[in-house]
């Protein structure tokens, strides 16, 4: 990327930006929530819309000069409606957490009850963690995955809903490798007379492409982020039926946010346009096929894959059975030295701390964007296992790093 204007003003930042470009080119991004957007999305996000205030919504703004802001936001909304089949879409949330906040602000009062999946079992901070505003403002009860199978324990969810009488049930997860049974959770919500929020942050792209069942039209509210399995740049989105449009619009602005980030909304519009092309479905299918290949490789090499595989873009590994003295951070750090960037993650039944947990989470969205197929992904899986088994052996880590560099060179990024 050319940062000549930045360099004239601020060489330190220009160096950091160039450094980040190089880092992304020369490492394999396997953090399950990361991806590489197109140059078109980057350009839209770097546009002059960053200068524009557009508080309000298209056709009804608190500022003059919103003609093009309106056009861009309407395009983003229309494309999102087409992609996910939603009646109502709000593209203004700055992130997935802000999208969730929009729903909570619209539908709950402080003290209301949230029933959600525990963080260490794959949930998210914004689903009621004590360190998050949701854990501080609302009364939270949590369900878990079945420790034997690694799948959502739907029966215990039903039981908790009966006992706790929640106002909202949150489904959709950050570290859950299996397809979610939205209808089953909706039935629980109906029986409890509770709202159902499906947070599809991780699988927005898979749902849009039809490779994961959709909660749109099932759950009352669907939230997501726009930069994980869909490559539309950093941000959030809310979908619902028209019935809740007014409350959700008010909750996002002015309830929880000020001026929308119009340059990011332009990125969303462009990324959604790309996702409406037929090749996006192939991309999503390959992302899942690559994740399955990765899970199979890990299992064949003796690692414990939580739930025994994956239906989506991520694989969760519990290191304790195969490498009891090795922590997730040991592995994360050695892999980073080898040029493979993924994250340490808690696993169901976690016995260590959240900062230095017992597992790792690996995702295939970014590798797939770079053109990795199943064979190449299997090789990456084998390299990861080599590092796990030899995380404190610099010679092995260095050998793996050499091979990772070759793989990066064979799958170039932002070179055209
Ligand atoms: N932090 C994101 C993730 O990595 O899953 C979720 O917000």
């Amino acid at each position: 990327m050319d940062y000549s204007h930045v360099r004239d003003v601020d060489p330190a930042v220009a160096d950091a930006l160039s450094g980040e470009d190089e880092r992304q080119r020369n490492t394999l991004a396997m953090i399950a929530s990361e991806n590489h957007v197109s140059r078109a999305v980057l350009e839209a996000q770097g546009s002059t819309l960053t200068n524009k205030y557009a508080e309000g919504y298209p056709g009804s703004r608190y500022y003059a000069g919103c003609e093009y802001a309106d056009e861009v936001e309407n395009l983003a909304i229309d494309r999102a409606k087409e992609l996910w089949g939603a009646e109502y879409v709000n593209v203004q949330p700055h992130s997935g957490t802000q999208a969730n906040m929009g729903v909570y602000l619209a539908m709950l009062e402080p003290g209301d009850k949230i029933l959600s999946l525990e963080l260490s079992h794959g949930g998210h901070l914004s689903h009621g963690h004590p360190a998050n505003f949701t854990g501080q403002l609302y009364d939270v009860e949590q369900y878990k995955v079945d420790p034997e199978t690694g799948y959502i324990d739907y029966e215990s969810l039903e039981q908790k809903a009966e006992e706790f009488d929640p106002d909202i049930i949150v489904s959709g997860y950050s570290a859950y490798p299996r397809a979610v049974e939205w209808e089953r959770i909706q039935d629980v919500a109906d029986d409890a007379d509770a709202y159902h929020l499906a947070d599809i942050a991780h699988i927005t792209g898979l749902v849009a492409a039809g490779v994961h069942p959709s909660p749109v039209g099932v759950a009352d509210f669907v939230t997501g982020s726009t930069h994980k399995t869909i490559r539309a740049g950093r941000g959030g989105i809310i979908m619902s039926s028209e019935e809740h449009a007014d409350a959700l619009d008010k909750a996002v602005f002015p309830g929880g946010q000020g001026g929308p980030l119009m340059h990011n909304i332009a990125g969303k519009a462009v990324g959604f346009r790309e996702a409406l092309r037929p090749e996006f479905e192939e991309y999503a299918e390959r992302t899942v096929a690559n994740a399955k290949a990765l899970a199979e490789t890990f299992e064949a090499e003796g690692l414990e894959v939580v739930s025994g595989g994956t239906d989506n873009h991520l694989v969760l590994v519990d290191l304790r059975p195969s490498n009891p003295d090795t922590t997730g951070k040991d592995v994360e750090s050695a892999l980073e030295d080898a040029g493979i960037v993924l994250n340490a993650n808690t696993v169901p039944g976690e016995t260590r701390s959240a900062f230095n947990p017992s597992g790792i989470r690996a995702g295939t969205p970014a590798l797939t964007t770079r053109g990795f197929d199943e064979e190449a992904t299997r090789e990456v899986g084998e390299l990861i296992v080599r590092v796990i088994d030899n995380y404190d052996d610099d010679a092995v880590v260095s050998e793996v790093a050499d091979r990772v560099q070759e793989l990066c060179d064979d799958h170039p990024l932002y070179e055209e």
Side-chain angles (χ1 to χ4, degrees), residues 31 33 124 174 202 228 361:
I31 291 175
S33 46
H124 189 258
S174 282
H202 266 259
K228 295 184 172 97
R361 185 186 66 163

Side-chain angles (χ1 to χ4, degrees), residues 57-58 72-82 86-91 265 269 272:
Y57 288 95
V72 161
E73 187 164 344
N74 278 328
L75 284 168
I77 291 169
D78 290 346
R79 288 167 184 171
K81 285 181 175 172
E82 197 177 339
E87 270 181 28
Y88 161 86
V89 170
N90 190 311
V91 292
I265 291 175
F272 296 164

Side-chain angles (χ1 to χ4, degrees), residues 365-379:
L367 287 195
T368 309
T369 294
R370 285 183 89 145
F372 279 69
D373 59 12
E374 287 164 74
E375 193 187 335
T377 306
R378 276 200 183 89
E379 182 180 354

